[in-house]
Amino acid sequence: MADKLEEILARCLRDFEEDEIVHRQFVTKVRQRYDAYRGVLDIGSEAAAWTSRQAPKYILQVIETQVANLLDPSPVWRLRARPRLDSPDQVQRYQDGARANELLLAEQLECDHYAEKQRGYGLQGLITGLSVKKNYWNYHEAKVREQRVIDEPVYFNGLEVGSRPVYRDVASTQAVHDDPTSEVINVEDFIWHQAAVSLAKCLRVTHRVWYSYDEIEELQSLGVYGPKAGGQPIEGLKESRDQSASLEGRDRTLHYGADRTKDMIEVLECWVERGTRVVSIANRKLLLADRPNPFWFDRLEHPYPFVVCSAMPDLFVIPGISEVEVMLDIQEML
């Protein structure tokens, strides 16, 4: 069994490293386009040597206007029953079912704060040429305190003669989140097979996520990671946090200098075999899980829980054309 786990681990890491070679070139362009969006002046350019030190953020102004036009302040689903040749009563039931589903989806959008996530999704796509969302089921348990009415017995001369309602604080573990959710993903942590022209034609996809040890421990208790999920126990990770040596230099930092890997554990979610299996690897040495795709996507275009989007799609590649790329020469001239 141990030999099989090591074989799976080695194969997934080998495939990931091959895909990451090309992805690093894409990340370099992403960083350059973000600098252009923020109006960061290259000290080695001819513009920096000129007498004037003014560097107008032309690209930022244009993209902010475009993002504002893309946002919907109150996104809702509009569902219509599929036209059918049926009795009037049956058609009415179809329409009532569509309306009920519409109300459910509206409630789920509000619970997920979907409207607030639109800006990050659209802004990333305009800057980098690609934006990615991950759809999954958000389930989280927590200890909840609530007041309950309890019938307390009433005694007289040592005999129970009745009862009275009293309020008592009761603590219990309950599900505080149990809804679908959509998460905007940093394109620097989304690695696809280099020959893919779309997710439907993609052999494999890797999503690099960052968890604290406590989060991984909670996921193991829920059966997402660990022996219950076909992986190894996580105890060995406690002393190996913040050892993501795969990211070097600027890849580890955010635009304001913070280290995005600080005290975090790198987990590679490798969606292999065209998305039918997901293999999770921590710090590139521990197999956390090896299980079938937990989502039912048989009727969709592809089995991956990801949605990719570009404002200007390119030909036969997953990333599109960045809006920054179009305006970069104008900003440099300014």
Side-chain angles (χ1 to χ4, degrees), residues 200-217:
K201 300 291 185 180
C202 193
L203 295 178
R204 58 182 177 266
V205 164
T206 301
H207 178 208
R208 178 168 48 208
V209 295
W210 305 93
Y211 289 133
S212 66
Y213 182 80
D214 294 336
E215 290 175 312
I216 295 181
E217 196 173 36

Side-chain angles (χ1 to χ4, degrees), residues 190 192 196-202 205 302-304 306-308 318:
F190 182 74
W192 58 89
V197 298
S198 66
L199 286 184
K201 300 291 185 180
C202 193
V205 164
H302 58 78
Y304 300 106
F306 304 100
V307 178
V308 296
I318 289 181

Side-chain angles (χ1 to χ4, degrees), residues 99-286:
R99 176 57 179 164
N101 199 4
E102 189 176 278
L103 294 174
L104 172 63
L105 291 173
E107 175 67 15
Q108 291 175 338
L109 287 178
E110 184 176 354
C111 292
D112 190 40
H113 300 279
Y114 183 83
E116 302 171 17
K117 300 178 181 180
Q118 294 181 95
R119 172 177 166 79
Y121 186 61
L123 182 62
Q124 180 173 238
L126 293 173
I127 295 175
T128 68
L130 177 68
S131 199
V132 186
K133 269 189 178 181
K134 183 179 183 181
N135 302 316
Y136 59 95
W137 197 267
N138 183 24
Y139 182 84
H140 179 67
E141 293 181 347
K143 288 187 176 180
V144 178
R145 298 183 65 86
E146 59 181 349
Q147 281 193 336
R148 294 181 182 177
V149 179
I150 300 177
D151 290 333
E152 184 179 82
V154 177
Y155 296 93
F156 180 74
N157 292 333
L159 298 176
E160 183 177 343
V161 296
S163 63
R164 62 176 180 176
V166 294
Y167 289 95
R168 289 286 187 269
D169 288 335
V170 179
S172 61
T173 301
Q174 299 180 10
V176 292
H177 295 288
D178 193 6
D179 296 290
T181 186
S182 180
E183 176 187 358
V184 182
I185 293 176
N186 187 346
V187 293
E188 297 183 20
D189 293 328
F190 182 74
I191 300 95
W192 58 89
H193 185 252
Q194 56 182 293
V197 298
S198 66
L199 286 184
K201 300 291 185 180
C202 193
L203 295 178
R204 58 182 177 266
V205 164
T206 301
H207 178 208
R208 178 168 48 208
V209 295
W210 305 93
Y211 289 133
S212 66
Y213 182 80
D214 294 336
E215 290 175 312
I216 295 181
E217 196 173 36
E218 180 182 359
L219 290 173
Q220 179 175 251
S221 65
L222 293 174
V224 178
Y225 292 152
K228 293 182 181 179
Q232 300 169 305
I234 68 170
E235 282 70 21
L237 290 176
K238 200 161 189 177
E239 303 302 327
S240 64
R241 67 182 67 186
D242 196 18
Q243 292 185 3
S244 51
S246 59
L247 298 183
E248 299 178 357
R250 193 178 172 190
D251 290 343
R252 296 175 63 100
T253 61
L254 299 172
H255 61 271
Y256 51 86
D259 186 352
R260 67 192 186 105
T261 69
K262 178 64 176 175
D263 297 327
M264 307 299 283
I265 296 174
E266 180 197 57
V267 176
L268 300 177
E269 285 188 359
C270 305
W271 297 81
V272 298
E273 297 178 5
R274 296 188 178 273
T276 58
R277 283 176 56 220
V278 55
V279 178
S280 301
I281 303 171
N283 277 350
R284 308 203 181 188
K285 67 177 184 179
L286 184 69

Side-chain angles (χ1 to χ4, degrees), residues 290-307:
D290 179 12
R291 55 200 175 106
N293 188 329
F295 305 108
W296 182 66
F297 293 152
D298 295 342
R299 300 182 62 182
L300 300 184
E301 182 182 11
H302 58 78
Y304 300 106
F306 304 100
V307 178

